[in-house]
Amino acid sequence: EVAEEEAEAEAEVEAEVRLVGFERGKEAWAMSLAERLASQLKKKEQGNALFRRGEFERALRRYEASNSRAPEAADLAKAIEAASCGGDEEAASAANERKAAAEQVRLACLVNMAACQLRLGEHGAAAKSCSAALDIAPGSAKALFRRGQARLALAELSGAKEDLLAAAKADPKSREVRAALTQLKAAQGRAREEERGAFGGIFT
């Protein structure tokens, strides 16, 4: 009993926390190109961690934040042009690398956004995210696959077929793509049955 009373006494602890200072993070417009790239990558990694925990809504917001922190294409182009005009090959190479890195992070975030949106039932938004990803990398197997999934869920069967066949061509070993093609075949069969039923009713 004494041990229980001591444990209860120890459990009754009050603590006071005082905020002694607060510093707001930099806005994207106030960051240098290097800072924007670092922030873009950090937000993406935070999104990945949330996605792994199944927190898809929060992960989606992090991916969106990552893309909002991405350096503007015009700013990257100016940096490349300035370095090239100045004859600084090392700086021009670094600027080109930053541009490629920013595009790769943006591409990954768009594909990951689509994965979140699919799990949240936001199929139209998922298709749009994939289309934006395909503007960057037209042959992206993941973007094609996920847009195919979104279109299949939206009953856009011809578009789903086009995307999934392209995804299968880009990644022939993908079990996910093969499974989606099986689902597509079943959906096409149901659609044909419904069409036959609808036309059959006209002539009876």
Side-chain angles (χ1 to χ4, degrees), residues 5-15:
E5 289 175 1
E6 289 177 352
E8 289 176 4
E10 289 175 359
E12 294 175 1
V13 177
E14 291 186 3

Side-chain angles (χ1 to χ4, degrees), residues 39-40 43 60-70:
S39 180
Q40 179 194 18
K43 295 291 183 186
L60 176 59
R61 289 197 293 272
R62 287 296 190 282
Y63 293 134
E64 290 170 339
S66 173
N67 282 347
S68 73
R69 295 298 178 96

